[in-house]
Amino acid sequence: MHAIVVEDKQLVLREVPDPTPGPGEVVVDVAAAGVNRADVSQRQGLYRPPPGAAEYPGLECAGVISALGPGVTGRQVGEQVACLLAGGGYAERVAVPVGQLLPVPTGLSLQEAAALPEVACTVWSNVVDHDCLRKGETLLVHGGGSGIGTFAVQLGKALGATVVVTARATKHDRLRALGADLVIDYTTDDFVLATRDFTAGAGVDVILDIIGAKYLADNIEALAPNGRISVIGLQGGRKAELDLALLLNRRGSVSATSLRARPRAEKARIVAAVQREVWPLVEAGAVKPVVHTALPLADAPEAHLLMESSDHFGKILLLP
Ligand SMILES: NC(=O)c1ccc[n+]([C@@H]2O[C@H](COP(=O)([O-])OP(=O)(O)OC[C@H]3O[C@@H](n4cnc5c(N)ncnc54)[C@H](OP(=O)(O)O)[C@@H]3O)[C@@H](O)[C@H]2O)c1
C-alpha cells in the first residue's frame, strides 16, 4: 500500500507493507484521514508516536473494514467506520483497535466522518468528562477557528453553554455562524478584559486552552469561582509561573491531558461515551463537521503548509 512517511522532517509518499491486524484489531481501508496540529510536530521530530503505534502520521480517519484480527467479534468486513488512531492515518490502510471504532453518523459522508474522531474525543474528554461543563455556564475556547475550536464551539452551544472564543479577525464571521456568543481578536484585544466585561465581572467557568504557558496567568485571571482550565496544547510554550494564591482564591483547577498517549482501555471508554453522548448531537445537526479542504494523500506536504499558515478554518483532510 501507499503511506506518507517522515524522512528528514519531510512528508514523502512511499510504498510500504500492508498492516496486519493484531488481536482485537481490524484493518480499515482509509477513505479520508484528518490532519492535526500534532502531525506537524511529529513531522518536525518534536512528537514521537507512542510505543506500539504506527510510525506514519495520522490520528483519525474514516473508511471501510477490510479484515478482522484474531478474537474480533461483532464487526464485519464492508462496515463503514470512523476511527481514533494513535498514528498511521496518512495511508491507504491502517490497523485499528475495535475500541477506537465509531459508526459513521447517519447523514454524514465518510469524508465528513473523518473530520470528527480526534476533535470529538479530545473536546468531550476535557470539557465534558473532566471539566463537567454545565448548561448556563460560560466556556472560553482559545483558537476558535482550529479543528478543535470549531468543534468545541458547537458542542458548548449544544450543551447549553455561553461560548466565548479567541481567534484572528478573519475567522470571526464564521465563528458567529457556528454559534459563538462573543468573538475576541487576540491579536488586538485583551481576552481577560473582554471576558470580564462580557460576563459582568463574573469570569468564565471552563477554559479549553491550546496555548499553554503564554496564557496560563491570563486564563486564571479570566476564571470565575470554581472555574476549570483544561490545557490541551502548548503552542505558547510549556513553562510558566503559576500564581497559586490567585488559583486558590478562585477555587480553580488546572489540568493538562494528551489523548494520544492514553492507554487503549481509556480511549475505548472515551470513544464509547462520544458515541453515546456526542453522535446523537451530530445526527441531529446540532454539531457539524467543519471541513476546510480535502487534498489527495500525495499533497500531505501542502496540507501541512496550510495548517502551519493557520489560514484554514476547521479541518483539513487527506484522501488516499
Ligand atoms: N492534548 C490533546 O489530546 C490534543 C488533541 C488534539 C489537539 N490538541 C491541540 O489542540 C490544538 C489545536 O489543534 P488543531 O489540530 O485543531 O490545530 P489547528 O487547526 O492548526 O489550529 C491551531 C489554531 O491556533 C490558533 N492560535 C494560534 N495562536 C493563538 C493565540 N495566541 N491565541 C488563540 N489562538 C491561537 C490559530 O488561530 P488563528 O488563525 O485565529 O490565529 C489556529 O486556529 C493544538 O495545539 C493541538 O496540539 C491537543
Side-chain angles (χ1 to χ4, degrees), residues 35-38 41 47 59 118-119 122 125-126 141-149 166-171 175 186-187 209-211 214-215 231-235 256-260 262 307-316:
V35 175
N36 287 276
R37 186 62 67 152
S41 302
Y47 191 32
L59 299 175
E118 174 74 11
V119 292
T122 301
S125 59
N126 285 281
V141 178
H142 286 304
S146 63
I148 287 283
T166 57
R168 276 187 285 161
T170 51
K171 301 180 178 177
L175 282 162
Y186 69 85
T187 67
D209 178 56
I210 62 171
I211 301 300
K214 192 173 153 196
Y215 278 2
V231 179
I232 61 162
L234 303 172
Q235 291 175 209
T257 66
S258 158
L259 179 62
R260 189 184 200 183
R262 294 192 194 220
M307 177 154 274
E308 286 171 83
S309 75
S310 275
D311 286 340
H312 63 295
F313 184 79
K315 299 288 297 187
I316 302 166

Side-chain angles (χ1 to χ4, degrees), residues 218-234:
D218 284 347
N219 278 339
I220 295 171
E221 201 67 62
L223 215 55
N226 302 306
R228 294 83 77 195
I229 301 170
S230 271
V231 179
I232 61 162
L234 303 172

Side-chain angles (χ1 to χ4, degrees), residues 10-26:
Q10 305 293 322
L11 300 176
V12 189
L13 188 68
R14 290 271 184 249
E15 183 91 39
V16 299
D18 270 24
T20 312
E25 293 181 343
V26 300

Side-chain angles (χ1 to χ4, degrees), residues 229-284:
I229 301 170
S230 271
V231 179
I232 61 162
L234 303 172
Q235 291 175 209
R238 56 188 290 184
K239 290 187 181 172
E241 201 170 271
L242 173 64
D243 185 341
L244 285 167
L246 202 54
L247 193 63
L248 182 149
N249 280 330
R250 299 266 194 282
R251 301 183 297 284
S253 66
V254 182
S255 63
T257 66
S258 158
L259 179 62
R260 189 184 200 183
R262 294 192 194 220
R264 279 187 181 189
E266 218 174 299
K267 286 183 185 168
R269 182 187 70 81
I270 292 168
V271 165
V274 164
Q275 181 176 343
R276 191 177 64 242
E277 296 181 25
V278 180
W279 257 216
L281 300 172
V282 175
E283 294 186 337

